[in-house]
């Protein structure tokens, strides 16, 4: 009995010893792991294995840096760098605690490359460092068993690089004066401090400010108790919780993930000057951008000047606040001079004016503001009214019914307006007469409207009475009938296509003489001619060497004969004789659009109203092809040279030879044979041979931008020549200078809102993803009314993004001009 008891006892002892040993080694790894050496590939891993601290070489650099990254994420992503400004050459780096108890990074010859600067005076026991599961590298006194951050001698979370991890505080420790500010890497190869930063500035009231160098770049708007006033999309979500803390000792923004299985970070990205929130997608093993700012160009700091108001969707986006007018109308796109009061205040002379309520705003820059949290809105108003330099006030905290008072002194800048429920109320000071005027205006409008209604109603009644009386002998029906058939002649099913014989056409075109040749279309020369009855024609003679066979020819003839629309070139007939195949069209005296828009002298003949009507005409023609005709026709080669102009410069789309009918609802097809023109082809069509009405929309977008700008889109093969037209337009758009893309010939024009709108629609049409592009019917509506338009996304075939696709195509086929119509067999 004794022996087993002893055995059992020693077994228990063994377990205890093992456990103790285990514990000892556990503390070892935390406390005595005092050296991390690059030459020994040493790293320090957080307890749960999420983060790793070690040495690395970023991008194509050859330098070594000490940093922290996600251990479990295969795409190496650095969240913190110690020696940002002092890289180590070679693998001599060692992270250690030196003899005076400081955390130092030693480089060559044991020189100190970086050290953790902590204010607390050196401690009795030797400090140790530790990498927490949050990604925080902390330095603690060995004796201290306090794990609260108050007892850290130093922590990396107080010295962020470009990344804000969950639990980090962006802002100030007001007691110690430590500012935690994010700053981008200079480049993916160089983690040193770039010029793109984000933090909370004490000169302002509770807002995040991003700077590009020393310039303000983006402002979040003041924290209003629920969110930042300029970030209505920051709301409760299943992914993360956010908070803003403001008291005597602390002022910061922070967030926490709600689930441990989600990995997310915020990063300042100098590549595109965006602050981005990424989410790790474990299935695709990529970082996905969840949100980013600035979101649009109204987010650009102070875009619209003093008392300006940026409204995305309006054209121009810059407007003046109510009661203000622009004080410079010379500069169409530059609003830096801002707006001035319709009627200056006369406060000093005793007329204090009053306040007008504006809603849905991102509150103005708080640089010159004052906050009194104890006042309610009524008291706030009284206080503002009594100080002549107070220009506006609002609630500083909108929770509940709203409390607190924020007042602005001097000019109001960087205001924007949100359409869908975002933003908040502000009360702006105006001259008393402005407030009454507004009342007046409403009254007048209401009176006028009711008058119009009454008159209109009376007319309507009269009309019906007349109509009712004359009904038996009505001729109204035939009139409307005619109207329909004018637009939509494909109603008549047995439309007969005249067949011309060859001698007739030969005579008409002077035996196809060179002097009668007016162009060379995709499939052969086009001749001008005159029939015996005096009618002018254009005869397209299909070259025998062209790829078009009898089938395609018949297809084209059948198609075109069924399509009649004001904005389509009319086919008069055809001629088939032996090898000879001809199409006879009506003659267009002004030839094609490209001869005008790309020609320096002739482009002057097309002023903006003309150009706009041409754009609308093409849009209607294309819409007819896509929707209104009984057949659903995809053009597939829409371009400037395929748009002809009649004597009144009305546009007519030509060349349906490439159009392929897809019957009924089929609006998409897949083809191995890509036919089209570089520079106009949608990415999905050029690369994958996928065509749809949306690939026509893309070509239409390009064509539109060409008409607006007077420049050719250089297509996707000029990789070495920098930006193409879409890139250029997109860049200007994002920078808030969209109008600068316009043809200088008619830049000075009063119709800027129409121009802006056209650029906007153009950019929507050339978006990379077909599903994002509007349909032609959407496009027609967008062009014709003034509703709010969605923001365009990245265009297709932008150099910035699609280098891969562009490269693979351009390396296979060397094109030198986008005028060449190409037929690519098996584009894959
Ligand atoms: C590494 O740590 C040990 C003590 O653990 C120390 O003696 C040694 O000098 C350190 N090495 C370097 C390069 O700092
Ligand atoms: C460190 O890693 C490199 C590359 O993986 C390897 O060649 C080298 O032998 C390693 N050194 C040590 C001390 O493990
Ligand atoms: C330890 O590092 C600190 C911080 O860089 C430095 O001031 C101090 O001189 C170092 N001590 C020794 C003995 O090198
Ligand atoms: C390191 O020491 C060597 C020889 O003493 C010297 O040539 C070299 O310049 C030193 N390097 C640095 C970075 O101090
Ligand atoms: C740890 O925290 C407790 C309670 O806050 C405090 O009483 C104690 O002095 C702290 N210990 C050290 C070593 O700082
Ligand atoms: C400030 O707020 C933080 C977070 O809510 C809190 O932990 C801290 O105690 C507060 N400090 C003061 C002085 O109120
Ligand atoms: C910055 O954005 C680019 C693409 O826009 C991306 O490739 C890069 O990884 C981003 N940088 C960081 C630090 O996330
Ligand atoms: C525009 O108006 C503001 C007042 O809102 C004024 O301060 C500024 O001087 C004006 N600028 C010009 C160029 O008139
Ligand atoms: C009005 O407000 C400004 C800015 O806070 C202040 O400097 C000024 O003294 C105030 N004037 C009066 C009369 O209260």
């Amino acid at each position: 009995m004794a022996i087993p008891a002893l055995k059992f006892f020693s077994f228990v002892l063994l377990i205890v010893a093992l456990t103790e040993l285990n514990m000892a080694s556990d503390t070892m790894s935390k406390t005595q792991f005092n050296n991390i050496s690059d030459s020994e590939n040493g790293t320090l891993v957080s307890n749960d294995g999420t983060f790793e601290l070690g040495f690395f070489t970023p991008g194509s650099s050859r330098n070594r840096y000490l940093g922290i990254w996600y251990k479990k994420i295969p795409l190496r992503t650095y969240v913190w760098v110690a020696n940002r400004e002092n890289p180590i050459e070679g693998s001599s780096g060692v992270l250690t605690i030196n003899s005076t108890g400081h955390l130092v990074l030693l480089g060559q010859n044991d020189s100190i490359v970086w050290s953790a600067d902590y204010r607390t005076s050196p401690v009795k026991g030797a400090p140790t460092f530790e990498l927490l599961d949050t990604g925080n590298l902390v330095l603690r006194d060995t004796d201290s068993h306090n794990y609260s951050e108050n007892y850290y001698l130093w922590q990396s979370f107080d010295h962020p690089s470009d990344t804000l991890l969950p639990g980090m505080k962006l802002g100030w420790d007001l007691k110690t004066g430590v500012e935690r500010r994010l700053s981008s890497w200079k480049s993916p190869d160089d983690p040193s401090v770039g010029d793109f930063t984000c933090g909370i500035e004490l000169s302002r009231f509770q807002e995040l400010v991003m700077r590009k160098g020393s310039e303000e770049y983006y402002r979040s708007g003041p924290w209003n108790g629920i969110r930042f006033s300029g970030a209505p999309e920051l709301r409760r979500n299943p992914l993360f919780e956010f908070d803003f803390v403001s008291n005597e000792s602390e002022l910061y923004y922070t967030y926490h993930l709600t689930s441990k299985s989600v990995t997310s970070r915020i990063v300042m990205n100098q590549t595109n000057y965006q602050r981005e929130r990424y989410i790790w997608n474990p299935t695709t093993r990529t970082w996905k951008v969840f949100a980013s700012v600035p979101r649009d160009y109204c987010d650009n700091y102070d875009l619209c000047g003093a008392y300006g108001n940026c409204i995305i969707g309006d054209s121009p986006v810059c407007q003046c606040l109510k009661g203000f007018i622009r004080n410079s109308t010379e500069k169409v796109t530059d609003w830096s001079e801002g707006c001035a009061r319709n009627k200056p205040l006369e406060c000093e002379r005793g007329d204090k004016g009053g306040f007008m309520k504006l809603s849905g705003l991102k509150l103005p820059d708080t640089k010159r503001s004052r906050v009194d949290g104890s006042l309610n809105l009524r008291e706030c108003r009284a206080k503002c009214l009594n100080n002549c330099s107070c220009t506006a006030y609002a609630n500083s905290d909108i929770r509940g019914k709203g409390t607190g008072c924020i007042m602005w002194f001097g000019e109001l800048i960087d205001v924007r307006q949100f359409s869908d429920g975002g933003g908040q109320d502000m009360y702006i000071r105006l001259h008393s007469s402005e407030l009454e005027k507004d009342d007046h205006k409403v009254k007048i409008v209401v009176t006028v409207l009711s008058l119009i209604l009454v008159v209109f109603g009376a007319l309507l009644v009269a009309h019906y009475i007349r109509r009712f009386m004359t009904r038996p002998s009505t001729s109204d029906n035939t009139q409307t009938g005619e109207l329909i058939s004018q637009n939509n002649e494909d109603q008549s099913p047995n439309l007969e296509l005249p067949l011309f014989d060859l001698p007739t056409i030969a005579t008409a075109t002077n035996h196809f003489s060179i002097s009668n040749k007016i162009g060379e279309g995709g499939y052969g020369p086009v001749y001008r001619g005159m029939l015996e009855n005096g009618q002018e024609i254009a005869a397209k003679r299909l070259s025998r060497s062209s790829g078009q066979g009898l089938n395609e020819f018949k297809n084209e003839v059948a198609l075109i004969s069924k399509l009649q629309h004001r904005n389509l070139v009319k086919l008069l007939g055809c001629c088939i004789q032996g090898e000879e195949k001809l199409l006879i069209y009506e003659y267009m005296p002004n030839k094609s659009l490209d001869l005008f828009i790309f020609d320096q002298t002739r482009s002057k003949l097309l002023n903006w109203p003309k150009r706009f009507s041409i754009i609308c005409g093409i849009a209607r023609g294309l819409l007819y092809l896509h929707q209104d005709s009984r057949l659903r026709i995809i053009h597939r080669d829409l371009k400037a040279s395929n748009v002809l102009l009649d004597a009144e410069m009305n546009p007519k789309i030509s060349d349906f030879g490439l159009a392929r009918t897809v019957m009924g609802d089929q609006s998409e097809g897949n083809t191995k044979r890509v036919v089209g023109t570089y520079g106009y082809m949608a990415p999905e069509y050029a690369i994958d041979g996928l065509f749809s009405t949306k690939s026509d929309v893309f070509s239409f977008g390009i064509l539109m931008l060409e008409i607006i700008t007077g420049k050719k889109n250089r297509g996707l093969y000029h990789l070495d020549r920098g930006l193409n037209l879409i890139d250029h337009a997109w860049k200007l758009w994002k920078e808030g200078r969209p109008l600068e893309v316009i043809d200088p010939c008619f830049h000075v024009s009063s119709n800027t809102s129409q121009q802006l709108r056209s650029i906007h629609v153009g950019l929507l049409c050339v978006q990379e993803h077909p599903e994002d592009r509007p349909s032609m019917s959407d496009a027609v509506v967008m062009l014709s009314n003034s509703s709010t338009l969605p923001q365009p996304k990245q265009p297709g075939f932008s150099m910035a993004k699609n280098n891969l696709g562009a490269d693979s195509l351009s390396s296979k086929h060397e094109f030198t001009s986008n005028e060449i119509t190409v037929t690519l067999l098996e584009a894959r």
Side-chain angles (χ1 to χ4, degrees):
M1 268 315 270
I3 294 172
L6 194 72
K7 261 191 175 169
F8 178 75
F9 187 53
S10 52
F11 177 70
V12 170
L13 260 183
L14 189 69
I15 293 213
V16 170
L18 273 177
T19 323
E20 252 181 6
L21 233 170
N22 234 339
M23 276 167 71
S25 78
D26 204 40
T27 34
M28 272 260 292
S29 71
K30 270 184 200 159
T31 55
Q32 280 165 15
F33 203 99
N34 274 355
N35 292 351
I36 294 177
S37 159
D38 195 6
S39 58
E40 286 163 20
N41 298 345
T43 65
L44 180 59
V45 178
S46 69
N47 258 346
D48 69 353
T50 308
F51 289 99
E52 184 167 25
L53 170 81
F55 291 88
F56 70 97
T57 304
S60 59
S61 160
R62 302 180 64 187
N63 293 324
R64 301 293 283 172
Y65 294 89
L66 177 76
I68 299 173
W69 57 82
Y70 294 97
K71 185 170 174 58
K72 291 175 181 165
I73 284 177
L75 208 67
R76 194 45 75 79
T77 309
Y78 307 104
V79 298
W80 183 74
V81 183
N83 54 323
R84 293 182 78 177
E85 303 295 338
N86 264 327
I88 300 170
E89 280 174 41
S91 58
S92 58
V94 177
L95 181 71
T96 190
I97 305 263
N98 75 7
S99 53
T100 50
H102 288 85
L103 177 63
V104 291
L105 177 59
L106 304 177
Q108 265 180 315
N109 306 350
D110 283 349
S111 58
I112 297 179
V113 170
W114 171 89
S115 68
D117 58 329
Y118 43 93
R119 280 152 231 270
T120 0
S121 50
V123 264
K124 291 156 257 149
T128 63
F129 57 89
E130 191 178 336
L131 184 61
L132 304 183
D133 294 344
T134 52
N136 194 3
L137 176 66
V138 302
L139 193 62
R140 282 189 306 119
D141 189 352
T142 317
D143 296 342
S144 166
H145 295 285
N146 284 324
Y147 272 76
S148 144
E149 68 168 317
N150 297 339
Y151 297 98
Y152 297 148
L153 297 170
W154 177 93
Q155 56 174 334
S156 64
F157 271 20
D158 279 343
H159 305 272
S161 299
D162 63 342
T163 304
L164 190 73
L165 290 172
M168 269 170 101
K169 297 171 175 180
L170 182 58
W172 292 80
D173 181 333
L174 297 170
K175 280 203 173 134
T176 59
V178 168
E179 184 191 6
R180 309 173 196 101
R181 194 177 178 87
L182 298 176
S183 54
S184 65
W185 287 23
K186 258 201 183 109
S187 76
D189 300 334
D190 181 3
S192 60
V193 175
D195 69 351
F196 188 43
T197 65
C198 177
I200 293 176
E201 303 192 347
L202 297 177
S203 58
R204 292 180 160 89
F205 176 66
Q206 299 186 176
E207 53 181 332
L208 294 177
V209 178
M210 273 154 56
R211 286 178 182 264
K212 202 171 167 177
S214 59
E215 304 263 293
E216 282 114 330
Y217 180 70
Y218 166 81
R219 215 171 47 84
S220 65
W223 179 262
N224 57 25
I226 297 173
R227 54 168 187 266
F228 292 107
S229 140
E233 77 285 353
L234 185 66
R235 47 172 73 110
R236 281 177 66 112
N237 65 73
L239 218 56
F240 60 91
E241 286 163 351
F242 51 90
D243 198 9
F244 191 94
V245 171
S246 170
N247 58 31
E248 290 138 47
S249 51
E250 300 195 86
L251 181 65
Y252 62 82
Y253 167 80
T254 190
Y255 71 97
H256 294 273
L257 298 176
T258 42
S259 159
K260 269 215 122 186
S261 59
V262 176
T263 306
S264 174
R265 69 196 162 103
I266 289 177
V267 69
M268 298 294 288
N269 194 334
Q270 177 130 358
T271 315
N272 47 19
Y273 284 106
Q274 297 264 319
R275 188 186 76 210
E276 299 167 324
R277 176 186 284 281
Y278 283 99
I279 307 275
W280 176 253
N281 182 340
T283 12
T284 59
R285 303 181 142 217
T286 50
W287 288 103
K288 197 173 170 307
V289 177
F290 178 79
S292 65
V293 282
R295 290 147 297 190
D296 52 36
Y297 64 85
C298 276
D299 271 348
N300 282 316
Y301 180 75
D302 194 17
L303 182 73
C304 301
Y307 302 108
N309 184 10
C310 198
I311 307 175
I312 268 305
D314 268 25
S315 31
V317 287
C318 283
Q319 309 280 334
C320 290
L321 288 172
K322 257 189 209 156
F324 290 80
I325 81 168
R326 283 198 75 175
N327 56 9
S328 159
T329 43
E330 277 160 37
K331 298 179 189 164
V332 176
T333 49
D334 176 9
W335 277 67
S336 56
E337 280 171 23
C339 308
R341 291 181 183 280
N342 279 332
K343 184 122 204 278
L345 295 175
E346 292 169 321
C347 188
E348 260 85 28
R349 277 187 270 151
D351 181 356
K352 290 180 175 170
F355 293 95
M356 180 184 283
K357 178 176 174 179
L358 302 175
S359 296
L361 296 187
K362 166 183 176 176
L363 296 181
D365 195 342
T366 52
K367 231 187 314 191
R368 267 165 288 168
S369 72
R370 226 170 44 198
V371 178
D372 188 336
S374 65
L375 303 182
N376 65 26
L377 204 56
R378 201 165 37 84
E379 293 160 335
C380 190
R381 177 195 167 92
K383 191 156 187 188
C384 186
L385 196 65
N386 282 327
N387 187 328
C388 284
S389 42
C390 181
T391 42
Y393 70 92
N395 263 142
S396 57
D397 189 334
I398 62 169
R399 281 176 290 190
K401 280 184 183 165
T403 56
C405 169
I406 174 167
M407 289 170 286
W408 283 267
F409 301 91
E411 289 171 349
L412 304 175
I413 59 168
D414 197 32
V415 176
R416 67 175 297 180
Q417 187 154 357
F418 297 104
S419 45
D420 37 17
Q424 59 193 89
D425 297 344
M426 180 176 79
Y427 301 83
I428 181 173
R429 185 188 214 124
L430 294 176
H431 191 273
S432 342
S433 64
E434 286 294 321
L435 301 163
E436 284 158 20
K437 203 162 84 189
D438 209 63
D439 248 22
H440 256 52
K441 260 191 200 155
V442 172
K443 273 183 200 152
I444 293 174
V445 167
V446 168
T447 326
V448 168
L449 269 181
S450 38
L451 249 166
I452 290 177
L453 267 175
V454 169
V455 172
F456 189 75
L459 281 176
L460 212 69
V461 171
H463 175 78
Y464 273 103
I465 291 173
R466 228 179 70 197
R467 219 183 132 126
F468 181 74
M469 308 257 289
T470 57
R471 193 151 215 180
S473 60
T474 185
S475 58
D476 278 7
N477 285 347
T478 45
Q479 248 177 31
T480 36
E482 259 169 31
L483 253 168
I484 288 166
S485 64
Q486 242 176 31
N487 280 333
N488 233 358
E489 279 168 23
D490 66 333
Q491 306 287 338
S492 48
N494 301 323
L495 193 115
E496 273 189 18
L497 187 70
L499 279 173
F500 294 87
D501 56 11
L502 194 55
T504 310
I505 303 302
T507 314
T509 58
N510 205 5
H511 296 278
F512 302 108
S513 79
I514 287 289
S515 60
N516 278 47
K517 189 170 153 182
I518 50 174
E520 183 88 38
Y523 290 100
V526 183
Y527 297 87
R528 180 181 178 175
M530 191 183 281
L531 297 177
E532 276 175 359
N533 63 7
Q535 180 172 23
E536 285 205 281
I537 56 161
K540 182 175 169 190
R541 188 181 196 186
L542 302 168
S543 49
R544 260 156 286 181
S545 59
S546 87
Q548 197 168 26
L550 196 64
N551 275 347
E552 268 174 305
F553 178 65
K554 280 186 175 163
N555 177 32
E556 181 172 19
V557 174
L559 264 178
I560 302 167
S561 70
K562 288 187 182 120
L563 300 167
Q564 308 264 327
H565 184 274
R566 225 165 356 121
N567 296 110
L568 299 183
V569 173
K570 197 167 179 175
L571 183 67
L572 300 175
C574 74
C575 169
I576 312 177
Q577 203 149 339
E579 294 277 271
E580 202 72 64
K581 284 170 276 173
L582 289 144
L583 291 173
I584 317 300
Y585 293 97
E586 57 178 334
Y587 175 70
M588 290 291 141
N590 278 320
K591 299 184 185 154
S592 56
L593 183 59
D594 56 326
L595 301 179
F596 283 85
I597 54 175
F598 302 137
D599 183 281
Q600 281 214 325
T601 40
R602 263 177 291 192
S603 67
K604 295 199 176 74
L605 299 173
L606 289 184
N607 59 10
W608 173 252
K610 201 70 236 174
R611 278 175 203 238
F612 188 69
S613 92
I614 287 173
I615 288 171
C616 293
I618 298 168
R620 282 190 298 264
L622 205 52
L623 171 62
Y624 171 80
L625 288 177
H626 285 180
Q627 265 182 18
D628 297 346
S629 68
R630 278 178 308 164
L631 310 150
R632 188 188 280 273
I633 286 147
I634 298 168
H635 189 295
R636 293 168 64 185
D637 195 16
L638 185 68
K639 54 179 170 181
S641 59
N642 272 344
V643 174
L644 307 185
L645 297 167
D646 71 6
E648 279 84 48
M649 301 296 274
N650 294 313
K652 293 186 183 244
I653 299 170
S654 83
D655 237 357
F656 301 90
L658 306 174
R660 175 175 297 218
T661 33
V662 183
M663 299 301 287
D665 282 342
Q666 271 181 291
S667 61
E668 248 181 65
N670 193 328
T671 180
K672 280 192 170 169
R673 182 168 176 175
V674 173
V675 213
T677 303
Y678 278 97
Y680 290 93
M681 266 197 266
E684 75 277 6
Y685 183 38
I687 292 170
D688 297 327
L690 263 176
F691 67 89
S692 68
T693 51
K694 293 294 184 74
S695 45
D696 270 0
V697 169
F698 184 93
S699 309
F700 171 70
I702 298 288
L703 182 53
M704 236 177 114
L705 290 173
E706 289 185 335
I707 296 171
I708 295 165
T709 61
K711 297 183 193 89
K712 278 181 200 174
N713 185 37
R714 288 291 169 190
L716 54 102
Y717 44 85
H718 283 271
L719 282 172
D720 47 341
R721 290 207 201 157
L723 297 175
N724 62 14
L725 175 61
I726 335 178
D727 276 323
H728 184 56
W730 176 239
K731 184 168 167 282
L732 290 172
W733 175 265
K734 287 223 296 190
E735 289 169 4
R737 312 182 280 146
L739 286 172
E740 286 172 31
V741 83
I742 289 178
D743 191 333
C745 285
F746 53 87
H747 193 248
V748 194
S749 154
S750 54
N751 224 332
T752 52
S753 70
Q754 201 176 52
Q755 291 176 348
L756 248 176
R757 197 170 184 82
S758 304
I759 295 168
H760 197 153
V761 176
L763 284 172
L764 287 172
C765 290
V766 299
Q767 288 176 109
E768 183 177 11
H769 299 293
E771 62 274 17
D772 290 337
R773 297 175 207 145
S775 67
M776 273 325 290
S777 59
D778 294 337
V780 167
V781 171
M782 287 172 172
L783 280 169
S784 51
N785 74 10
S786 56
S787 61
T788 309
L789 300 179
Q791 271 306 299
K793 296 182 191 157
Q794 176 88 25
F797 279 149
S798 154
M799 296 302 165
K801 208 162 175 194
N802 273 314
N803 278 347
L804 218 139
D807 256 338
S808 59
L809 262 179
S810 61
S811 55
K812 271 187 244 153
H813 312 273
E814 287 176 356
F815 301 108
T816 50
S817 156
N818 71 342
E819 288 304 285
I820 298 174
T821 297
V822 288
T823 300
L824 266 181
L825 288 164
E826 313 224 13
R828 280 167 200 265

